[in-house]
Amino acid sequence: MKTNPNIDDLAGRNSPVVRKFNEFLDSRGMRRTAERYAILDRIMSINGHFTIEELQQMIEEEGFRVSRSTVYNTVELLMEAKMLRRHVFEGMQAQYERITLPHTHLICTTCGKVKEVKDTNFAAFMNARRFNAFNTDHYSLYVYGTCSTCARKSKRTDQVTKVNKPKK
Amino acid sequence: MKTNPNIDDLAGRNSPVVRKFNEFLDSRGMRRTAERYAILDRIMSINGHFTIEELQQMIEEEGFRVSRSTVYNTVELLMEAKMLRRHVFEGMQAQYERITLPHTHLICTTCGKVKEVKDTNFAAFMNARRFNAFNTDHYSLYVYGTCSTCARKSKRTDQVTKVNKPKK
DNA sequence: ATGTATGCAAACCATTTGCAATGAC
DNA sequence: GTCATTGCAAATGGTTTGCATACAT
C-alpha cells in the first residue's frame, strides 16, 4: 500500500525471527511488504497474549496504519510459519501469542486474565508421551479457576462480582 | 411452550443425573420444563462431543421441537450445574460434552475429528499439581496433530488434501 | 394468577470475503 | 508490467438479545 523505506529499521531486522519470516515468505514466493514486517515487529515485542484488535491498536499507536484484514492475514501467515499460536479460551475472543517454550495457561474464570506458567515436569511428561494412531504437533494445557486477586475480592464482598470479563 | 405429559418417560428419569438437575433447578427456583428434560435426556445419551446444531437436530429427529435459543439456554444451565463442559478447539465452532472423568483431547488439524483418551498418568499428575496464587477448578489438555487416517491419506496422495474441516 | 421460559426474529460482533486500487518484484 | 497484497465495505455465521406468547407453579 504505502512504500515503506524503513523495513530495514525494524528493531530486530537481523534477528532469527525476521530471518525465519523472510525464508518463509521466500519459500512461498510471497512479498516482503512493510505491513508484514510492521506486524511481525510489534508481535515480537509482546510478551504474553493479545487479541487482533489490541495488536492493531498497538501498531497504529506507533503511527503505522494497517487494515484489520491485513492484520488477520499476517497473523494467519505467522501461524503457518509456526511463529505464532492462537488460543481460544472459554468465553473470550481469540488470543494470540508467539511460540516460545511450552507453558501452561492459567485462566481466571472471574476476571478473564490469562497467566502463563512454566512447568518443566509437565513438559517432560508430554515430551515422552505418545498417543496411539496420532502424530502430535503441539498441545495446550488450559487450567481454569480463580486467581488470588479475584478470590480475595469475592471473600471481601462475600458476593460474586464479575469484572473485566472479556466477553459475555 | 407445549405441555409435555411425558417428562416422566425420560430414559433415566430417576438417574443421578436427572436428580442432580432437579436439585439444581430447585435451588434456583427454576421451572422443570419439558424442553429442559428433553435436552438433558438427549445429551446424556451422547458419548463424545457435539455442537449446538447437532444437538438440536438429534432432538428434533426424535419428534420433539425445541428452539435454538432454548438449546443455548439449557446448555448454559447445564454448564452452570457443572454437568456439561464447552470446548472451543482451534478453528471449529464450540463443542460440548458431558462432564465425566478427565481425559485428553486429540484434535486432528486436518479433518477436525476430536478423540478423547483416558490418561491416568496425566490425571494423577494434575491431581497433585498446585499453582501459585491460583485455585484450580478444572483443566483441559488439547493435543493437536494428525490422526492416522489423515496421515495415510496424505502419504497416498502426497499432497495435503484438507477434508471435512468444520470451519474454514 | 403470577412471573418464568419458550420461540421467533432481529441484533451482535468477530472473522471472512470480494474486489478495485496499489505497489513489490 | 504483472500479479500479489492491501484496504474497504459488505457478507457470514455462530451466538445473544428483546419481546410477545405460552405455561409451570
Side-chain angles (χ1 to χ4, degrees), chain B residues 60-78:
Chain B
E60 303 209 326
E61 272 166 19
E62 292 176 336
F64 190 95
R65 157 85 198 145
V66 243
S67 72
R68 185 66 61 107
S69 335
T70 299
V71 178
Y72 273 109
N73 275 338
T74 304
V75 145
E76 178 65 35
L77 278 185
L78 288 168

Side-chain angles (χ1 to χ4, degrees), chain B residues 86-98:
Chain B
R86 172 164 51 210
H87 294 282
V88 190
F89 303 118
E90 176 59 37
M92 318 181 207
Q93 66 178 258
Q95 310 223 31
Y96 300 80
E97 69 171 356
R98 355 193 267 273

Side-chain angles (χ1 to χ4, degrees), chain A residues 39 52 56 65-76:
Chain A
I39 293 168
I52 289 283
Q56 189 184 17
R65 157 84 198 146
V66 242
S67 72
R68 185 66 59 105
S69 334
T70 299
V71 178
Y72 273 110
N73 274 338
T74 305
V75 146
E76 177 66 35

Side-chain angles (χ1 to χ4, degrees), chain A residues 115-128:
Chain A
K115 192 179 174 190
E116 295 92 41
V117 301
K118 229 195 320 197
D119 195 332
T120 323
N121 287 338
F122 175 60
F125 174 82
M126 285 304 290
N127 239 13

Side-chain angles (χ1 to χ4, degrees), chain A residues 1-3 31-32 52 69 72 93-94:
Chain A
M1 206 74 229
K2 80 201 77 166
T3 300
R31 292 174 183 170
R32 304 187 182 188
I52 289 283
S69 334
Y72 273 110
Q93 66 178 258

